[in-house]
Amino acid sequence: MSDEKLAVEKVSIDEEKSTSQHIDLANNVQAKIQNPLHGIPRETLVAQVQAWAKERGFEDNIDLFTRGALLAQKPGDFESVPGITEEEKEHIRRETTHRWSQPRDLYKTVIICSLAAAVQGWDQTGSNGANLSFPQALGLSTALDNPDHERNEWIIGLINAGPYIATSMLGCWLTDPLNHYFGRRGTLFWCGVFCTFSVIGQAVAQTWPQLLVCRLLLGLGMGPKATTSPVFAAENVPANIRGGLVMSWQLWTAFGILLGTAANLILQGTGAIAWRLELGSAFLPAVPLMIGVYFCPESPRWLMKKGRYGDAFKSFCRLRNSPLQAARDMYYVHCQLDEEFKVLKGSTYVSRFTELFTIPRVRRATLASFIVMIAQQMCGINIIAFYSSTIFVEAGYNQKQALLASFGFGLVNWLFAFPAVWTIDTFGRRNLLLFTFPNMAWTLLAAGFCFFIPDSNSARIPLIAFFIFLFCAFYSPGEGPVPFTYSAEVFPLTHREMGMSWAVATCLFWAAVLSLTFPRLLSAFGPVGAFGFYAGLNVVAFVLIFFLLPETKQRTLEELDYVFAVPMRKHAKYQVTEFLPYWIRRWVFFQRDAKLKPLYNFDEVESHTVWEPATGH
């Protein structure tokens, strides 16, 4: 037998051996996080990489991909990888020592996603100020002496809910086909078009049905934008800063809300056309979004999914500080995708949707994203974002004072999102939620109770505003940034568009329910009952998050396949038998020597990342 045949047989035997060590992505009972290159002998890995490079048209870069694969296999031991230059080693060291030092093109992606978020926030708050005047202008008076006041309350709620109804029913579900045919960038261009012309249509509407139609059309842009932008950012940025950069969606959504409240305040004195200008001004950030998106590199993972490996490598090179890092990440992603495709087919639109609930690994991600997304709406934040001006008028402010207080809410919402940039990748997504939800519950309840203070007491209005602002300060670094960041991470590439569509549709469907029902809820329950209702929902959300939400910080998108292959019952049991007793010993009895047994097992494998791995709590 020739030497070449012997080498091929050796590679085949070694491949079979290494494959037998791989973890079942459908049911990871042992809770192990595994590098897909783990256990492959160096000679075998080199042969595999060389064959792959020739197959994909990278003959001129075989040596580069070989070094990249060896680095991906043992990232913590990069000093011993043969052939790596001192300059390349310095780039790898800086991944830990200077993790925010990233290429300009990577930050272009983040800026474009931030613009998309600002559009989203401004679109949400245009109706906030307009609610004070458009009902009267369009014949929808809610005065108690009007026999149609209850009907008009529902119509006003429907108009406010319009974008979220269209988004949850249709807009989000366009994400999968739009991304399939046009990519991440093309989808964001589509969204920019709808978010420009529909808001201009709102400004010139002459009747409430015309206004409602324009609001519905806005949802066709908001849905794919809210779904695609976090995914686009998550797929382009490195794992160790992914949370901090992907959460820029919430940071700049909050900034868009701030801009919207500022515009409402500025335009308040323009008379009868104020509500038109408040609704129409949201087109301003949508125009640079449409233009700027094509200056960004396309998602390399999307390009690999389409088989465009040459373009994917060019994209990776624009998004990483050195070609070696680009080659390392590309080969690592390729190997994990091979593992993913063996279990997760996702071949058609219908099958990808049904598999959200039938494949265990995907079903767990679906449940987790559902919890964080419904919690974002049911925590009560959007009764403030959509109706803060109405609430402050109810408290006793005049229109100008109410708009000024709403601006204060927008400012707090934006400023307190910044701490999450530095904590989401260290303190973690799950821990941020567990810390902030109890605080949101009591501050919302306190704001409601302040309505019991007599109108004659000068402390009534400042206290209501104070507790609403305090509620927002707890929301902004926790339930604000986490849901979109988390949902963009947890689904495998085969189901990422469909999974994110599900998550955002969940979020915005309940935003629609909230927008539709709050005017009537406020009328029926009063401010105290409405605020108390949402405070109770915060407690329910805390319990669900504690038992059912795995941590995702500092894991690559591909390594999360193993995290979500762990059965949910094992995760829930761990919280009761390990984490809760540890927390009581450490923080109730202050036992400094208390130890927490980690849920996930990293002992047998090396992480693709070089920083400290996350534990299961």
Side-chain angles (χ1 to χ4, degrees), residues 21-184:
Q21 299 172 353
H22 285 175
I23 296 163
D24 181 4
L25 290 184
N27 198 31
N28 184 9
V29 178
Q30 295 176 312
K32 293 181 180 178
I33 312 301
Q34 181 158 306
N35 185 325
L37 304 178
H38 171 70
I40 302 176
R42 176 172 291 187
E43 298 80 6
T44 304
L45 180 58
V46 169
Q48 290 176 353
V49 175
Q50 291 176 349
W52 173 83
K54 291 176 181 177
E55 178 188 353
R56 295 295 179 177
F58 295 122
E59 290 87 351
D60 295 339
N61 292 302
I62 288 178
D63 180 62
L64 177 65
F65 277 101
T66 299
R67 287 182 286 129
L70 293 173
L71 176 61
Q73 185 182 44
K74 294 188 175 182
D77 194 25
F78 65 89
E79 301 280 359
S80 65
V81 174
I84 297 184
T85 66
E86 188 57 38
E87 181 182 358
E88 290 172 333
K89 290 179 182 179
E90 182 58 25
H91 280 302
I92 297 166
R93 293 186 193 107
R94 286 176 65 86
E95 289 181 332
T96 303
T97 60
H98 297 74
R99 62 192 186 121
W100 295 100
S101 177
Q102 300 293 337
R104 184 178 302 172
D105 282 326
L106 187 144
Y107 283 111
K108 283 182 186 176
T109 301
V110 175
I111 289 169
I112 286 300
C113 292
S114 300
L115 264 176
V119 175
Q120 198 89 354
W122 202 327
D123 284 334
Q124 288 179 11
T125 50
S127 62
N128 190 319
N131 279 326
L132 298 178
S133 54
F134 89 78
Q136 290 74 25
L138 298 181
L140 297 174
S141 172
T142 57
L144 293 179
D145 58 355
N146 184 342
D148 292 329
H149 78 274
E150 288 190 16
R151 165 186 170 272
N152 290 346
E153 284 175 347
W154 285 108
I155 292 175
I156 293 169
L158 180 63
I159 290 171
N160 277 282
Y164 311 104
I165 294 172
T167 293
S168 59
M169 298 301 179
L170 180 59
C172 286
W173 305 107
L174 292 174
T175 301
D176 191 284
L178 285 173
N179 276 270
H180 177 77
Y181 291 109
F182 304 121
R184 312 295 190 228

Side-chain angles (χ1 to χ4, degrees), residues 101-418:
S101 177
Q102 300 293 337
R104 184 178 302 172
D105 282 326
L106 187 144
Y107 283 111
K108 283 182 186 176
T109 301
V110 175
I111 289 169
I112 286 300
C113 292
S114 300
L115 264 176
V119 175
Q120 198 89 354
W122 202 327
D123 284 334
Q124 288 179 11
T125 50
S127 62
N128 190 319
N131 279 326
L132 298 178
S133 54
F134 89 78
Q136 290 74 25
L138 298 181
L140 297 174
S141 172
T142 57
L144 293 179
D145 58 355
N146 184 342
D148 292 329
H149 78 274
E150 288 190 16
R151 165 186 170 272
N152 290 346
E153 284 175 347
W154 285 108
I155 292 175
I156 293 169
L158 180 63
I159 290 171
N160 277 282
Y164 311 104
I165 294 172
T167 293
S168 59
M169 298 301 179
L170 180 59
C172 286
W173 305 107
L174 292 174
T175 301
D176 191 284
L178 285 173
N179 276 270
H180 177 77
Y181 291 109
F182 304 121
R184 312 295 190 228
R185 297 185 305 177
T187 300
L188 290 179
F189 179 83
W190 155 287
C191 298
V193 170
F194 272 86
C195 289
T196 298
F197 292 103
S198 62
V199 295
I200 294 174
Q202 291 178 58
V204 299
Q206 300 300 310
T207 64
W208 73 258
Q210 292 176 1
L211 179 58
L212 176 60
V213 168
C214 291
R215 299 279 291 170
L216 292 170
L217 290 174
L218 177 60
L220 300 185
M222 289 177 63
K225 175 161 55 65
T227 305
T228 301
S229 294
V231 168
F232 188 32
E235 290 182 341
N236 280 12
V237 303
N240 63 330
I241 57 170
R242 187 178 65 242
L245 291 183
V246 177
M247 68 79 49
S248 66
W249 170 263
Q250 172 59 25
L251 180 66
W252 297 105
T253 298
F255 184 66
I257 290 173
L258 175 63
L259 291 177
T261 55
N264 292 342
L265 185 61
I266 292 168
L267 297 169
Q268 177 260 340
T270 55
I273 63 168
W275 67 270
R276 297 184 182 276
L277 296 176
E278 288 165 351
L279 289 171
S281 61
F283 87 92
L284 292 172
V287 174
L289 169 66
M290 290 189 292
I291 297 171
V293 69
Y294 284 104
F295 289 94
C296 300
E298 181 58 274
S299 162
R301 285 175 168 89
W302 181 84
L303 292 167
M304 291 173 72
K305 182 180 177 181
K306 292 296 181 181
R308 295 166 55 184
Y309 275 68
D311 292 334
F313 183 56
K314 292 176 184 177
S315 186
F316 261 128
C317 286
R318 291 178 64 184
L319 294 166
R320 299 295 182 264
N321 285 313
S322 71
L324 178 63
Q325 291 166 301
R328 174 201 64 189
D329 289 357
M330 182 169 178
Y331 190 72
Y332 182 87
V333 170
H334 161 76
C335 292
Q336 188 59 50
L337 291 180
D338 269 358
E339 293 294 310
E340 211 172 85
F341 287 132
K342 291 175 185 176
V343 178
L344 312 169
K345 303 299 182 185
S347 55
T348 68
Y349 186 89
V350 174
S351 68
R352 284 195 295 275
F353 178 77
T354 58
E355 286 168 0
L356 293 180
F357 310 96
T358 57
I359 295 177
R361 179 263 179 266
V362 186
R363 184 173 65 240
R364 294 174 193 120
T366 301
L367 175 61
S369 66
F370 173 82
I371 290 170
V372 291
M373 284 298 194
I374 194 173
Q376 188 181 69
Q377 297 305 318
M378 294 299 102
C379 74
I381 186 62
N382 279 338
I383 64 174
I384 313 299
F386 300 158
Y387 292 106
S388 62
S389 299
T390 305
I391 290 170
F392 286 123
V393 166
E394 185 85 12
Y397 282 145
N398 61 37
Q399 284 198 11
K400 185 175 181 178
Q401 291 171 328
L403 289 170
L404 189 60
S406 294
F407 173 76
F409 156 75
L411 184 62
V412 171
N413 189 33
W414 181 55
L415 291 177
F416 279 85
F418 278 96

